[in-house]
């Protein structure tokens, strides 16, 4: 059974700083997703990574995928308060997505 | 961005009662999913539904759960006899083959009292 591990689970950072969230998974998969969730809200699709070496960027967020290492990263550049949310990675496995536990990000001004 | 619509947004029910959660997925999609998220916890897969049949289900999806597509557009999740531990957000999702994204509905918050 696929296991997906995210770390850290909680991240408090100052505005303007950079940080990286890591997502490790235990079994080969072709697709990895990153989602953002605000409190009480649904999951907003940020990135889908389809191949080894894939890198996608949107604003201050950049996601990458290393399928050989079974590792994806979500890098935050020059954080701003609006990025405060919970971030989930999810790995496609068979006919479903398996989610990590989520990283709660708090950006302090 | 395509929308997946869920109703109701919030439902409160008494333990032992039946509830039906509804989803209108993106049109022309054949794959649909239900997930749940207990407050503050991770998102858990319940069931996937393809071409009007269950294609995969999790251990959580026991005999008290069922899914249907009653009229070709709506997609329902029924919980026959609710328990306190069924309290959670329930999300319907529909993948987009064009963009490879999986779009989630806004969720139904189920509270069992």
């Amino acid at each position: 059974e696929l296991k997906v591990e995210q770390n850290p689970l909680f991240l408090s950072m100052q505005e303007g700083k950079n940080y990286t969230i890591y997502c490790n998974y235990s079994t080969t998969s072709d697709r990895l997703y990153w989602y953002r969730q605000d409190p009480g809200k649904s999951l907003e699709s940020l990135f889908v990574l389809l191949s080894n070496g894939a890198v996608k960027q949107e604003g201050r967020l950049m996601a990458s995928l290393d399928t050989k290492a079974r590792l994806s990263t979500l890098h935050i550049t020059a954080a701003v308060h609006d990025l405060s949310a919970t971030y989930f990675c999810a790995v496609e496995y068979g006919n479903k997505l398996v989610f990590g536990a989520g990283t709660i990000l708090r950006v302090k001004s | 961005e395509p929308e997946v619509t869920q109703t109701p947004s919030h439902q409160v029910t008494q333990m032992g009662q039946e509830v039906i959660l509804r989803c209108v997925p993106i049109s022309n999609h054949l794959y649909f999913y239900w997930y749940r998220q207990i407050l503050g916890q991770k998102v858990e897969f319940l069931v996937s539904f393809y071409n009007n049949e269950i294609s995969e289900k999790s251990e959580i999806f026991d005999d008290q759960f069922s899914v249907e597509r009653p009229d070709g557009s709506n997609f329902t999740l029924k919980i026959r006899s609710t328990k306190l531990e069924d309290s959670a957000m329930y999300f319907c999702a529909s993948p987009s083959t064009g963009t490879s994204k999986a779009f989630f509905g806004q969720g139904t918050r189920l509270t069992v009292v």
Side-chain angles (χ1 to χ4, degrees):
Chain A
E1 186 69 19
L2 173 66
K3 294 193 187 314
V4 181
E5 293 186 353
Q6 274 183 250
N7 69 84
L9 298 181
F10 182 76
L11 178 55
S12 178
M13 48 190 303
Q14 291 289 130
E15 275 193 330
K17 297 292 187 183
N18 304 334
Y19 211 82
T20 300
I21 300 170
Y22 297 89
C23 176
N24 289 90
Y25 54 99
S26 61
T27 305
T28 302
S29 171
D30 292 334
R31 294 184 185 188
L32 189 139
Y33 299 77
W34 283 96
Y35 288 92
R36 169 183 170 141
Q37 186 179 41
D38 292 300
K41 303 292 186 182
S42 185
L43 296 154
E44 175 190 353
S45 180
L46 294 174
F47 302 107
V48 55
L49 302 167
L50 301 177
S51 60
N52 188 42
V55 177
K56 291 198 174 178
Q57 183 162 4
E58 181 78 29
R60 300 174 187 275
L61 302 177
M62 183 174 70
S64 66
L65 177 62
D66 181 344
T67 56
K68 293 179 183 176
R70 296 177 189 160
L71 170 69
S72 179
T73 60
L74 180 67
H75 186 73
I76 303 151
T77 302
V80 293
H81 185 260
D82 286 352
L83 289 179
S84 296
T86 300
Y87 293 83
F88 291 95
C89 66
V91 179
E92 191 168 290
Y93 185 63
N95 294 322
K96 63 181 182 281
L97 296 179
V98 179
F99 282 78
T103 297
I104 300 173
L105 174 65
R106 292 292 175 261
V107 181
K108 299 183 289 186
S109 43
Chain B
E1 196 164 89
E3 285 192 3
V4 176
T5 305
Q6 289 185 245
T7 56
S9 57
H10 188 196
Q11 174 135 12
V12 180
T13 189
Q14 290 206 328
M15 191 169 54
Q17 295 296 304
E18 175 183 284
V19 294
I20 297 176
L21 311 182
R22 292 182 169 80
C23 170
V24 180
I26 299 168
S27 60
N28 301 321
H29 282 202
L30 297 178
Y31 258 115
F32 314 108
Y33 304 84
W34 284 100
Y35 292 83
R36 80 171 186 190
Q37 185 181 31
I38 295 171
L39 184 64
Q41 298 188 23
K42 70 177 178 181
V43 180
E44 300 174 293
F45 169 75
L46 290 177
V47 64
S48 60
F49 195 76
Y50 174 72
N51 207 21
N52 297 323
E53 289 186 355
I54 291 175
S55 61
E56 189 170 349
K57 59 183 180 179
S58 71
E59 292 177 351
I60 303 168
F61 195 87
D62 60 22
D63 290 344
Q64 69 164 146
F65 290 92
S66 62
V67 289
E68 286 184 356
R69 199 172 186 198
D71 58 10
S73 58
N74 291 317
F75 179 45
T76 62
L77 175 70
K78 182 190 293 185
I79 309 174
R80 288 190 185 82
S81 178
T82 50
K83 298 178 272 199
L84 294 176
E85 54 264 37
D86 294 327
S87 296
M89 281 286 280
Y90 288 82
F91 294 106
C92 170
S94 180
S96 167
T97 53
T99 64
S100 299
K101 290 186 176 183
F103 295 105
F104 283 76
Q106 77 274 29
T108 293
R109 180 174 296 283
L110 176 65
T111 304
V112 182
V113 296

